[in-house]
Amino acid sequence: MPATVLVVEDELKIRDLIRRYLEHDGLAVLTTGSGTEGLTMLATQSVDLIVLDLNLPDISGETIAAEVRSRSVIPILMLTAKSTEADRIRGLELGADDYLTKPFSPRELVLRVQAVLRRSRASTGETATSSFGEGTLVIDEDRHDLVVRGQGIELTPTEWVLMLALTGAPGRVFSRAELINRVRGYEFDGYERTVDSHVKNLRRKIESDPHEPTIVETVLGAGYRLGIRRDR
Ligand code: CA
């Protein structure tokens, strides 16, 4: 399962930017601009990490962090406009696992989120491994490992992002344009037929018969989908 990140940030532009980057990285993202709603979402949904703005219009980030810490160990990455050492120490004292001072680079945020998730998984003994098709395909998001029929597969960065997208939503059809969006930023020229050639290479590596693919299926006129189910 991809990790779920809850983003509590009242500035719409920053919130959307964070969502885009985290989703591009293969994470599931919930967002809200309200601290109250954030606490409700935490109580009702499964969340693996919180990106929390310190300065919110309804409840302060400090109060939310204290509330979260009083009942759970969900890691918190704080976003703060305050940059003095005293404020930073205060944030960490309130139970934040890490913090970023605005303005921040979204790429930096993604790296911090990954690092905090890795630490938290390591401490709870969880792994980021998902298995599909009764063990036919096993993907480890943290270690960037793909194993198909017991064989480790070497993927290019583009192929890796395609696999992350498809395994993130088994059975869902992804259009070529959508897949281009996922891999933008890697070595991609943005043409839809480029997706086809990456899929062709990917199939050569993972399908037992690349001409009759069962893992990465073509949906005529629509795109591609993962043809095997997630194992429970
Ligand atoms: Ca704010």
Side-chain angles (χ1 to χ4, degrees):
M1 293 279 283
T4 302
V5 178
L6 171 64
V7 179
V8 187
E9 162 63 79
D10 59 308
E11 281 168 77
L12 181 62
K13 260 169 79 179
I14 300 181
R15 194 162 75 225
D16 283 348
L17 185 73
I18 296 175
R19 174 201 280 281
R20 267 211 318 280
Y21 270 78
L22 294 181
E23 283 183 346
H24 183 270
D25 198 50
L27 296 161
V29 182
L30 305 167
T31 60
T32 174
S34 135
T36 318
E37 196 177 279
L39 285 173
T40 310
M41 289 164 98
L42 278 171
T44 54
Q45 313 208 38
S46 154
V47 171
D48 300 295
L49 181 143
I50 308 163
V51 174
L52 179 61
D53 181 27
L54 203 51
N55 188 14
L56 293 164
D58 54 349
I59 326 176
S60 76
E62 282 103 331
T63 309
I64 297 176
E67 179 78 27
V68 169
R69 271 299 154 268
S70 71
R71 48 185 155 133
S72 85
V73 294
I74 298 176
I76 300 171
L77 176 66
M78 279 227 190
L79 300 180
T80 168
K82 305 168 183 174
S83 62
T84 67
E85 197 181 5
D87 288 321
R88 180 169 69 84
I89 290 168
R90 181 128 184 277
L92 296 175
E93 272 173 2
L94 285 165
D97 295 80
D98 201 355
Y99 77 100
L100 268 178
T101 305
K102 291 180 183 173
F104 54 85
S105 115
R107 193 59 221 156
E108 174 75 17
L109 175 98
V110 170
L111 293 175
R112 299 287 189 95
V113 164
Q114 287 171 340
V116 172
L117 280 174
R118 255 195 311 275
R119 283 206 298 272
S120 119
R121 276 182 183 132
S123 69
T124 55
E126 265 181 70
T127 66
T129 301
S130 309
S131 165
F132 300 84
E134 285 161 19
T136 302
L137 184 151
V138 178
I139 191 164
D140 184 328
E141 289 174 38
D142 281 351
R143 301 175 62 183
H144 279 221
D145 269 353
L146 179 72
V147 174
V148 179
R149 290 176 217 88
Q151 292 282 325
I153 309 284
E154 290 283 330
L155 296 181
T156 65
T158 300
E159 291 162 0
W160 172 254
V161 175
L162 291 177
M163 275 321 289
L164 266 191
L166 295 169
T167 55
R172 174 172 168 318
V173 180
F174 288 87
S175 70
R176 288 170 176 80
E178 247 179 307
L179 291 172
I180 288 173
N181 270 328
R182 295 293 181 107
V183 293
R184 193 161 281 162
Y186 296 86
E187 83 285 8
F188 224 67
D189 63 18
Y191 291 105
E192 299 203 346
R193 62 185 157 72
T194 316
V195 175
D196 297 339
S197 64
H198 284 289
V199 167
K200 199 171 161 192
N201 292 336
L202 188 56
R203 280 174 173 159
R204 264 205 296 270
K205 297 180 181 180
I206 64 174
E207 300 285 356
S208 27
D209 179 358
H211 301 289
E212 296 284 340
T214 55
I215 300 176
V216 178
E217 292 182 343
T218 302
V219 181
L220 278 180
Y224 295 102
R225 75 173 166 215
L226 192 76
I228 48 179
R229 287 169 189 264
R230 186 191 298 279
D231 301 329
R232 292 287 157 198

